[in-house]
Amino acid sequence: MKKGIRLVALLAVGMLVFSMGIAAAAEEDMKKQLKLADDITKETIVGPGSVQVSTEKDILMSFGATVRIIPTSESDWDFGMSDKTDGYLNFGTGPNLGSEFFRIHNNESGAVKDSYIRTESKIYFNAMPKDRQWSFYAALEFDTPLDTQTVDNRGGRDTTSSNFGLERLHISYALPLNTRLHAGWDIWHVDVIEAAGLVYGDDNPGFWLTGGSDTVNYSLGYFKLSENDFQLSATDFEDAKDADRDLYAGYLNWTPTDGQKLQGFYTFDRIRNVGVNDFTAFLTEGAVGIATGEVPEVDSHHAGGYYLGNFGAFELFVEGTYQFGSADNTGLGALGKEEDYDINAYALAADISYELKGILTGFPLKPHLGIIYTSGDDDPNDDELGGYNGNVNAQRFSQRFGGENTIIGDTNLALGSILYGYIPELYGNGTPVFTGGLQNFAGFGGGRGDNPGMTMISGGLTIAPKPFLIYKTNVNYFRWNEDIFVQNLVTPINFATGQPFITKVSSGYVGTEWDNEVTLATSKHSYLKGQFSMFFPGSVLEDVTEALGAKSDDTAYRLAAELIINF
């Protein structure tokens, strides 16, 4: 009995000491948090902004701004097609889009072409109490090409609207077990920036939960990409009970040591708002091209992960993802094809780099070599969609392969690419079912699950001869992996036979893009950038332009500068 009493007493003392240790550790952790929270500009649960505001209350505040003024000049964005024909879709059905149609492209500021001045300006506001129990972040943004009418109407091209609006809103709450609940619309991603941008990264509205430690952490989110239960008028509602698009996503990070990171992720994209149609049918309101009039039930899943490893000056990156699911009730059965489809696609990426710091030049020099491979659809007559799409194709945001000055990633209709992505999602082989892609362009004819896929080989170099001067150059070589069918847009119909002019374009070499950017920091808050990009068309792109009705092989150019203030 005495032994039992001693054992109980020892256990009680041990538990007391252990509890005191936990309490002390928790108190120390709270002190660290409070010390960190005294400088709101160091926090990660609020937005940018380096100017801190002192208040008499316990609420800490900061604000800041980013101003970008971007004069831009572009030529032959359509690879010279406008010089070879008088017009596209000028055949009595649908809109007369003119010969310059393929020179037009959409970016975040709107539809642009040739030469223009764009501005992207943000103002940031942040607030948080010292105990970090909640946080607030908002960003106002004005992003548009400029002329007198735009600025006189305070950011609007008409007299009723303004482009200066609420671009970001992010609030969070502290919960037990070191977790936080977040709500609003802010950048949330599973694989952009440090990875390849194969799956998802955007600022869609939703809710997400974060937690864990420095070694193991996670985030689980729900995002509303399209809502049919709210419209401006009763006539704007879709003729369907459930015409929404919802994304469920999550990731788990493991960082065992500094410089080593392994992330696994999963997303479920529930799509009920995009009809079956190709780009030609979209342009002609279904008069020409493939359009079934049906909105299929698409369930698209992505599962995968990536690894980052730093070994001194050497860095390794690999990523892989598998896309699977189903697309039912497509309406394609009435066209002699399958009615229901399985989604079965994948994407792979890898990159290696080595920093030759001072070895050859006396200043940092970092070359890299990488690859992206996305599967394509090789059979229009089976019941599988093998053309890979992410929830958002966002390769432009990869720090390894991308950049805001790319030609392919700023929407290029001849290349079949939509804003942010490199995948030729506007082209396919006859079953244009939307399996993923940027929501802003949903219904446009992109995101096709029958796209040909691509192989991109990327080589580049970053040089920093001075801490305030950085030059980055990247060469991306593109091939399409499968054949596609392209409809002529100059003369879509052979009026003698009544049949469409459709050409099979074989897989192969599409072209090479060379992107260059020089950054000069005039201070820690002010920068000047110069950008120069070229896309050299290959044999496949020449065949595509011929199939569209205007065979061309001119080099596309983009020249731009950025004047940036960021604080």
Side-chain angles (χ1 to χ4, degrees):
M1 176 66 77
K2 289 182 179 180
K3 288 182 180 180
I5 293 174
R6 290 194 192 102
L7 180 60
V8 171
L10 287 172
L11 288 172
V13 171
M15 291 179 66
L16 178 61
V17 172
F18 182 65
S19 300
M20 291 174 63
I22 291 178
E27 183 178 0
E28 185 64 27
D29 185 57
M30 179 60 72
K31 288 180 179 178
K32 290 180 180 178
Q33 291 181 359
L34 291 175
K35 184 178 180 181
L36 178 63
D38 284 336
D39 185 358
I40 195 172
T41 66
K42 304 295 184 184
E43 273 293 344
T44 59
I45 56 175
V46 291
S50 61
V51 180
Q52 188 155 325
V53 180
S54 298
T55 68
E56 296 180 356
K57 307 297 183 180
D58 70 340
I59 297 177
L60 303 166
M61 299 190 69
S62 71
F63 74 93
T66 296
V67 177
R68 296 170 67 222
I69 298 178
I70 314 164
T72 305
S73 177
E74 300 164 351
S75 63
D76 291 317
W77 200 267
D78 61 353
F79 305 100
M81 294 174 67
S82 57
D83 299 329
K84 308 296 193 307
T85 182
D86 293 331
Y88 297 96
L89 301 180
N90 186 12
F91 52 90
T93 303
N96 177 10
L97 297 171
S99 62
E100 296 187 352
F101 171 61
F102 279 86
R103 287 165 59 183
I104 302 168
H105 62 102
N106 286 78
N107 57 28
E108 298 97 326
S109 66
V112 296
K113 72 178 181 70
D114 299 341
S115 298
Y116 52 93
I117 301 172
R118 176 189 171 193
T119 185
E120 183 185 39
S121 300
K122 293 186 179 76
I123 303 174
Y124 309 113
F125 302 91
N126 304 288
M128 179 181 65
K130 287 187 175 182
D131 61 8
R132 303 170 83 249
Q133 289 300 300
W134 56 268
S135 70
F136 166 84
Y137 158 52
L140 301 178
E141 183 180 85
F142 168 44
D143 185 356
T144 186
L146 296 174
D147 66 2
T148 300
Q149 184 180 10
T150 300
V151 297
D152 280 355
N153 289 333
R154 290 156 298 282
R157 283 286 288 177
D158 55 52
T159 59
T160 61
S161 65
S162 172
N163 198 37
F164 205 102
L166 193 57
E167 171 71 7
R168 302 269 190 273
L169 180 67
H170 180 172
I171 60 174
S172 77
Y173 303 83
L175 300 178
L177 302 176
N178 196 30
T179 60
R180 294 191 78 87
L181 173 64
H182 306 256
W185 55 100
D186 199 359
I187 296 296
W188 192 94
H189 63 90
V190 299
D191 72 332
V192 301
I193 304 174
E194 68 179 9
L198 295 173
V199 182
Y200 179 74
D202 209 340
D203 56 357
N204 301 119
F207 307 89
W208 60 103
L209 192 71
T210 59
S213 64
D214 291 340
T215 303
V216 179
N217 56 79
Y218 66 88
S219 185
L220 302 172
Y222 163 75
F223 303 96
K224 175 64 73 171
L225 276 63
S226 179
E227 175 66 86
N228 185 49
D229 293 334
F230 162 75
Q231 297 295 339
L232 297 179
S233 72
T235 59
D236 291 334
F237 284 88
E238 296 292 331
D239 186 21
K241 183 177 180 181
D242 183 12
D244 298 342
R245 184 179 178 190
D246 303 281
L247 181 70
Y248 305 82
Y251 62 79
L252 178 66
N253 280 328
W254 179 42
T255 309
T257 60
D258 289 341
Q260 306 289 316
K261 178 180 177 179
L262 183 64
Q263 176 171 300
F265 52 74
Y266 166 77
T267 70
F268 168 41
D269 198 356
R270 186 178 181 274
I271 306 167
R272 300 293 188 274
N273 69 317
V274 185
V276 175
N277 64 274
D278 60 18
F279 185 50
T280 305
F282 167 80
L283 292 175
T284 64
E285 299 179 348
V288 181
I290 299 174
T292 68
E294 298 295 329
V295 178
E297 300 173 1
V298 178
D299 293 330
S300 175
H301 305 262
H302 289 78
Y306 65 87
Y307 168 76
L308 290 172
N310 284 283
F311 307 92
F314 176 77
E315 181 177 310
L316 172 66
F317 160 73
V318 293
E319 179 176 2
T321 181
Y322 175 51
Q323 182 186 10
F324 59 99
S326 61
D328 297 330
N329 303 317
T330 65
L332 288 167
L335 302 180
K337 301 178 183 294
E338 298 292 334
E339 179 69 13
D340 302 326
Y341 292 83
D342 292 328
I343 300 171
N344 185 15
Y346 63 93
L348 304 169
D351 188 75
I352 56 173
S353 64
Y354 191 86
E355 184 171 351
L356 302 164
K357 190 172 183 179
I359 296 177
L360 300 177
T361 60
F363 52 80
L365 186 152
K366 187 176 182 179
H368 87 94
L369 181 65
I371 186 172
I372 292 179
Y373 179 91
T374 69
S375 64
D377 193 279
D378 62 353
D379 188 349
N381 299 312
D382 64 9
D383 62 352
E384 283 196 356
L385 296 171
Y388 178 85
N389 280 298
N391 308 126
V392 175
N393 297 317
Q395 293 76 49
R396 195 184 88 173
F397 290 121
S398 171
Q399 64 186 10
R400 306 167 192 285
F401 316 112
E404 290 206 42
N405 57 315
T406 65
I407 293 171
I408 192 172
D410 210 40
T411 308
N412 190 293
L413 302 181
L415 289 169
S417 60
I418 298 297
L419 183 62
Y420 307 141
Y422 295 170
I423 295 172
E425 56 180 284
L426 284 171
Y427 292 123
N429 57 24
T431 51
V433 180
F434 183 89
T435 62
L438 187 64
Q439 175 58 35
N440 308 64
F441 287 80
F444 193 69
R448 297 175 58 148
D450 65 340
N451 76 75
M454 71 163 193
T455 299
M456 185 195 77
I457 299 174
S458 177
L461 187 66
T462 301
I463 304 173
K466 297 291 184 181
F468 54 83
L469 181 62
I470 301 172
Y471 169 62
K472 182 179 180 181
T473 183
N474 223 31
V475 176
N476 292 336
Y477 167 96
F478 293 94
R479 297 182 67 88
W480 291 348
N481 300 326
E482 305 294 345
D483 302 339
I484 58 174
F485 293 93
V486 179
Q487 180 157 356
N488 191 306
L489 292 183
V490 176
T491 309
I493 301 294
N494 183 338
F495 292 105
T497 64
Q499 298 300 311
F501 280 119
I502 297 177
T503 303
K504 180 180 180 180
V505 175
S506 299
S507 60
Y509 171 54
V510 178
T512 298
E513 178 157 343
W514 183 26
D515 301 318
N516 300 272
E517 183 175 82
V518 178
T519 302
L520 172 65
T522 62
S523 75
K524 65 183 296 185
H525 297 295
S526 56
Y527 309 88
L528 296 171
K529 288 186 178 183
Q531 300 169 342
F532 181 47
S533 299
M534 295 175 285
F535 196 104
F536 306 96
S539 58
V540 170
L541 186 53
E542 187 175 347
D543 292 342
V544 167
T545 58
E546 182 177 17
L548 289 168
K551 183 177 182 180
S552 307
D553 61 357
D554 294 345
T555 300
Y557 294 90
R558 181 186 185 274
L559 179 65
E562 289 192 47
L563 290 75
I564 303 171
I565 301 292
N566 183 49
F567 62 90

